[in-house]
Amino acid sequence: MGYSRYKYEDLKKLCNVAFQRFGFSKVDRETITDVLLLSDLFGIESHGVQRLVRYHKGIKSGMMKVHAEMEIVHETPVSAVIDAHQGMGQVVGKRSMEMAIKKAKNLGMGMVVVRNSNHYGIAGYYARMAAQEGLLGMSMTNSEAIQVPTFGKAAMMGSNPIAIAMPAEPYPFLLDMSTTVVTRGKLEIYNKRAEALPLGWALDSKGADSSDAKDVLYNIQNKLGGGIVPLGGSSEEFGGHKGYGLGVSVELFTAILSGGLTANYTHMNNVGGTCHWFFAVDYGIFGDKKVIEAGMSKYLQELRDSDKAEGQDRIYTHGEKEIEAYNDRLANGILVNENTLEEIRNMCNYLDLSVNDYLKEI
Amino acid sequence: MGYSRYKYEDLKKLCNVAFQRFGFSKVDRETITDVLLLSDLFGIESHGVQRLVRYHKGIKSGMMKVHAEMEIVHETPVSAVIDAHQGMGQVVGKRSMEMAIKKAKNLGMGMVVVRNSNHYGIAGYYARMAAQEGLLGMSMTNSEAIQVPTFGKAAMMGSNPIAIAMPAEPYPFLLDMSTTVVTRGKLEIYNKRAEALPLGWALDSKGADSSDAKDVLYNIQNKLGGGIVPLGGSSEEFGGHKGYGLGVSVELFTAILSGGLTANYTHMNNVGGTCHWFFAVDYGIFGDKKVIEAGMSKYLQELRDSDKAEGQDRIYTHGEKEIEAYNDRLANGILVNENTLEEIRNMCNYLDLSVNDYLKEI
């Protein structure tokens, strides 16, 4: 898979015009573009412009509704429940986190849950929104069922990421992790490269270890059994039941609290049904914010400075790799692989756009 | 290691009288006993009466202050910061979760953080308190540094458990998991049995895989390097950076928000310094509570009923094993191993108590 680099501003223009052709309003297309491109800037290719074509398919099929109006089903001063009415995850996601942030600024905490939505991109985007407002931010989402419970063989949970962001210097803390051992995107990369998966990542349709990415992905898509194992592996020996428990917890916070669909019912009959959770905490309710931030900065620095294992020369804190990728991509361009570019080219032809008018390889 | 069974009521009497001799008031000794014995009833031996002797040592050394008065340092309608002034973790823990519950009943959410405390037993006890009041409950605590960050060799985080409890039928959901691949208690069991650890649990003082439980435990206690690896393992291949991120997040919620000590500074100079986090959510803010509970019950049942991997005949949901152990121990007695009994016997001699007046093997 070859990669080329393209300017952030050029990709931004292309995304905006594509989402305009899909029918999105100016504010909505800017939101979706911003979420997608932050992922590419962070070096998380699986959730970046690679998704453009999938979103196009979802919109054409009617699974993703361009003109959906999100509805506030319940609201209290500290909480809200939103029905996204099958709108785009990014649009409802950003607005829901804004609600959570506003509530947190008023009363210290705000928790907003969303049902009946679609893929919302990287969970870290929403957690980071809160951190940029000087709050502690969290977000979770369920997704298409890919995660198999311990001792099971059917995918019953999504990749179910948990994101947590907290201001700190010189880098904020930004954890954004699936509760599976690896993401589906990782399997897709192994599949494209026709490489064998390490044993301990995925299960075949009988629930046994599998190294066959193509087979596992096919089975997930067609709900034939198997899938990806929880963080900690497929048995209890290395704590697989813990990853499984986190996966269930994400379903609780997103789908159960919102009255939406758990992963085992999403993505059926052309309904995505994805559910999200957004939480903001104004840590000023616990004391002087500058003192708390300084405490976080100090601890993160101590982690980075702590003794390295033999053969290692660096310990990262979460969000640090993303910041480095961000600076690199802004300066030197975003990496787009040739398959993705070809898909985007085909989509643009369909939309009567010329990719070459927007993108020039750096 | 031989085990004998003793009646719950008998152990309860013995614990109460021992904590009375230590100087605790009636209400405090009942709290500590209740937390310890729930752990034994749940089959979590490492956090049960086995801790009696350790607590005795902590009290004798002055690390645990019997007559400490917890102090509310900050308070808002949805939050509080508590300084435990080196009191017992169970005493401050129960009272702090009661505060969080009261705030949640008033405004939908309550979050209470505690600094300068000591070991508080199983995190699940406090999450379960909220669930028993019809709320979603969570708790976290840091602990003595035993967890090594990815690519590191120094323990910088505790076992840092996360507990989440949610009412459901016929069993509540109760996740109580360390963010390490295994707990220190597990290493202690391997050490007592003189068995080799599975590779992938622990690191030696150079940060390399170790199967030597005795050496790892010695190094942890003497802060010589090495320790237990995060959930997901010591490398990024199986997601060790995710467990590490959860471990750091627990330090954020417990130590950073409370202005207390992170794990790398606790348990020094005869100060425990443990920090806790308690969170209760009245999910009535998201809709009809009965409907939400029914949604959780249905999903948990679907998990248990989902297809089993070949060679497996049962899928558990979190808290189910504990309920089964609880029913067994209440009916047939609590299992106490002979080493623990010998330690308790010695402690009782010191306290001028006769174990035989309290405990009779069933």
Side-chain angles (χ1 to χ4, degrees):
Chain A
M1 285 191 295
Y3 283 85
S4 312
R5 285 189 184 255
Y6 298 92
K7 275 191 197 160
Y8 166 73
E9 287 298 336
D10 289 352
L11 279 163
K12 189 172 161 181
K13 276 180 202 147
L14 175 66
C15 286
N16 261 297
V17 71
F19 286 115
Q20 185 175 26
R21 294 286 169 97
F22 296 168
F24 287 100
S25 68
K26 186 165 186 296
V27 59
D28 287 354
R29 64 187 186 245
E30 284 177 356
T31 296
I32 304 167
T33 297
D34 199 46
V35 180
L36 281 188
L37 289 184
L38 184 70
S39 180
D40 279 316
L41 288 170
F42 276 176
I44 309 165
E45 186 188 339
S46 58
H47 287 57
V49 291
Q50 185 191 288
R51 289 267 166 179
L52 252 182
V53 175
R54 276 213 228 172
Y55 291 156
H56 186 216
K57 280 184 194 160
I59 289 160
K60 277 200 294 184
S61 78
M63 189 169 94
M64 299 172 183
K65 311 277 190 208
V66 173
H67 301 293
E69 286 290 333
M70 67 181 241
E71 179 191 356
I72 300 174
V73 181
H74 281 282
E75 189 169 13
T76 79
V78 293
S79 68
V81 182
I82 308 288
D83 190 322
H85 291 303
Q86 294 187 251
M88 289 293 283
Q90 290 86 349
V91 172
V92 68
K94 189 175 177 195
R95 288 176 61 188
S96 299
M97 192 45 147
E98 283 167 352
M99 285 179 73
I101 287 169
K102 198 170 169 191
K103 288 171 188 292
K105 285 184 176 175
N106 283 336
L107 277 169
M109 287 187 258
M111 193 183 283
V112 176
V113 293
V114 177
R115 69 188 183 212
N116 203 12
S117 180
N118 281 292
H119 191 262
Y120 80 166
I122 50 170
Y125 183 90
Y126 309 97
R128 179 174 175 265
M129 278 175 65
Q132 289 184 319
E133 294 282 325
L135 305 172
L136 196 166
M138 293 183 71
S139 184
M140 305 182 189
T141 186
N142 72 356
S143 69
E144 189 170 355
I146 63 159
Q147 184 177 174
V148 179
T150 310
F151 307 140
K153 69 175 182 184
M156 295 292 291
M157 299 153 283
S159 56
N160 288 13
I162 300 172
I164 303 176
M166 173 72 191
E169 295 296 339
Y171 314 108
F173 176 72
L174 177 55
L175 175 68
D176 185 357
M177 54 169 270
S178 70
T179 53
T180 47
V181 67
V182 288
T183 57
R184 183 179 181 157
K186 202 88 163 239
L187 265 60
E188 284 164 354
I189 291 168
Y190 274 71
N191 184 32
K192 280 182 185 168
R193 291 182 187 156
E195 274 181 41
L197 298 175
L199 285 182
W201 282 10
L203 303 176
D204 67 17
S205 61
K206 292 179 176 173
D209 278 337
S210 173
S211 60
D212 186 343
K214 192 187 182 97
D215 183 58
V216 172
L217 289 167
Y218 180 83
N219 290 341
I220 288 173
Q221 200 166 4
N222 295 286
K223 301 191 187 296
L224 298 174
I228 304 180
V229 308
L231 177 61
S234 60
S235 75
E236 293 184 343
E237 186 176 7
F238 293 95
H241 54 301
K242 299 179 187 183
Y244 160 37
L246 292 173
V248 175
S249 299
V250 172
E251 297 289 342
L252 162 59
F253 282 102
T254 61
I256 303 295
L257 291 186
S258 73
L261 301 178
T262 49
N264 51 324
Y265 291 103
T266 64
H267 299 84
M268 287 178 182
N269 308 315
N270 207 36
V271 174
T274 312
C275 299
H276 320 303
W277 179 80
F278 304 93
F279 187 38
V281 180
D282 182 351
Y283 45 88
I285 58 177
F286 299 114
D288 184 311
K289 292 183 77 158
K290 290 290 161 209
V291 173
I292 291 171
E293 288 160 21
M296 190 65 183
S297 303
K298 174 173 173 281
Y299 180 56
L300 294 174
Q301 192 61 48
E302 288 169 352
L303 286 166
R304 290 187 291 263
D305 290 346
S306 72
D307 292 341
K308 314 299 178 282
E310 273 196 354
Q312 299 293 340
D313 56 12
R314 185 165 177 186
I315 292 171
Y316 293 89
T317 53
H318 301 80
E320 206 183 353
K321 286 186 181 180
E322 287 79 0
I323 293 284
E324 290 186 0
Y326 184 97
N327 292 335
D328 169 68
R329 268 63 167 182
L330 264 194
N332 305 314
I334 285 173
L335 288 157
V336 182
N337 90 46
E338 61 192 29
N339 292 336
T340 300
L341 196 72
E342 188 56 27
E343 287 177 347
I344 292 177
R345 195 180 302 279
N346 292 336
M347 184 192 72
C348 284
N349 286 341
Y350 179 92
L351 295 171
D352 205 18
L353 291 170
S354 166
V355 169
N356 296 339
D357 289 351
Y358 294 90
L359 300 188
K360 282 181 185 61
E361 193 178 333
I362 298 176
Chain B
M1 285 192 295
Y3 283 85
S4 312
R5 285 189 184 254
Y6 298 92
K7 276 190 198 161
Y8 166 73
E9 287 298 337
D10 290 351
L11 279 163
K12 189 171 160 182
K13 275 180 204 149
L14 175 66
C15 286
N16 261 297
V17 73
F19 287 115
Q20 186 176 24
R21 294 286 169 98
F22 296 169
F24 287 101
S25 68
K26 186 165 186 295
V27 59
D28 287 354
R29 64 188 185 244
E30 285 177 355
T31 296
I32 304 168
T33 297
D34 199 47
V35 180
L36 281 188
L37 289 184
L38 184 70
S39 180
D40 278 316
L41 288 170
F42 275 177
I44 308 165
E45 186 188 338
S46 57
H47 288 55
V49 291
Q50 185 190 287
R51 289 267 166 180
L52 252 181
V53 175
R54 277 213 227 170
Y55 291 157
H56 187 217
K57 280 184 195 160
I59 289 159
K60 277 199 294 184
S61 77
M63 188 170 95
M64 299 173 182
K65 310 277 190 208
V66 173
H67 300 292
E69 286 290 332
M70 65 181 244
E71 179 192 357
I72 301 174
V73 181
H74 281 283
E75 189 168 14
T76 78
V78 293
S79 68
V81 181
I82 308 288
D83 190 322
H85 290 304
Q86 295 188 251
M88 289 292 283
Q90 290 85 351
V91 172
V92 69
K94 188 176 178 194
R95 288 176 61 188
S96 299
M97 191 45 146
E98 283 167 351
M99 286 179 73
I101 287 169
K102 198 170 169 190
K103 288 171 188 293
K105 285 184 175 175
N106 283 335
L107 277 169
M109 287 187 261
M111 192 183 284
V112 176
V113 293
V114 177
R115 68 187 184 215
N116 203 13
S117 180
N118 281 292
H119 191 263
Y120 79 168
I122 49 171
Y125 183 90
Y126 309 97
R128 179 173 175 265
M129 279 175 64
Q132 288 185 320
E133 294 281 325
L135 306 171
L136 195 164
M138 292 183 72
S139 184
M140 305 182 191
T141 186
N142 72 356
S143 69
E144 188 169 356
I146 63 160
Q147 184 177 173
V148 179
T150 310
F151 306 139
K153 69 175 181 183
M156 295 293 290
M157 298 153 285
S159 56
N160 286 14
I162 301 172
I164 304 177
M166 173 73 189
E169 295 295 340
Y171 314 108
F173 176 71
L174 177 55
L175 175 69
D176 185 356
M177 53 170 270
S178 70
T179 54
T180 47
V181 67
V182 288
T183 57
R184 182 179 183 158
K186 202 90 163 238
L187 265 60
E188 284 164 355
I189 290 167
Y190 274 70
N191 183 33
K192 281 182 187 171
R193 291 184 190 156
E195 276 181 39
L197 298 175
L199 286 181
W201 282 9
L203 302 176
D204 67 16
S205 61
K206 293 180 175 174
D209 278 335
S210 173
S211 60
D212 186 342
K214 192 188 181 101
D215 183 56
V216 172
L217 288 167
Y218 180 84
N219 290 340
I220 287 173
Q221 201 166 1
N222 294 287
K223 302 190 186 295
L224 298 174
I228 304 180
V229 308
L231 177 62
S234 61
S235 75
E236 294 185 342
E237 185 176 8
F238 293 95
H241 54 302
K242 299 179 186 183
Y244 160 37
L246 292 173
V248 175
S249 299
V250 172
E251 297 289 340
L252 163 59
F253 282 101
T254 61
I256 304 295
L257 291 186
S258 73
L261 301 178
T262 49
N264 50 325
Y265 290 102
T266 64
H267 297 85
M268 287 178 182
N269 307 316
N270 208 34
V271 174
T274 311
C275 299
H276 320 301
W277 180 79
F278 304 93
F279 188 37
V281 180
D282 182 351
Y283 45 87
I285 59 177
F286 299 114
D288 184 312
K289 292 182 77 157
K290 290 291 162 206
V291 172
I292 290 171
E293 288 160 21
M296 190 66 184
S297 303
K298 174 174 174 282
Y299 180 56
L300 294 175
Q301 192 61 48
E302 287 169 353
L303 287 166
R304 290 187 290 263
D305 290 346
S306 71
D307 292 341
K308 314 298 178 286
E310 273 195 353
Q312 299 293 340
D313 56 12
R314 184 164 177 187
I315 292 171
Y316 293 89
T317 53
H318 301 80
E320 205 183 355
K321 285 185 181 180
E322 287 79 359
I323 292 284
E324 290 186 1
Y326 184 97
N327 292 335
D328 169 67
R329 269 60 166 181
L330 264 194
N332 305 313
I334 285 173
L335 288 158
V336 181
N337 91 46
E338 61 192 30
N339 292 336
T340 299
L341 195 72
E342 188 55 27
E343 287 177 346
I344 292 176
R345 195 181 302 277
N346 292 336
M347 183 192 74
C348 285
N349 287 342
Y350 180 90
L351 295 171
D352 204 18
L353 291 169
S354 166
V355 168
N356 296 339
D357 290 349
Y358 295 90
L359 300 187
K360 281 181 188 61
E361 193 178 334
I362 298 178

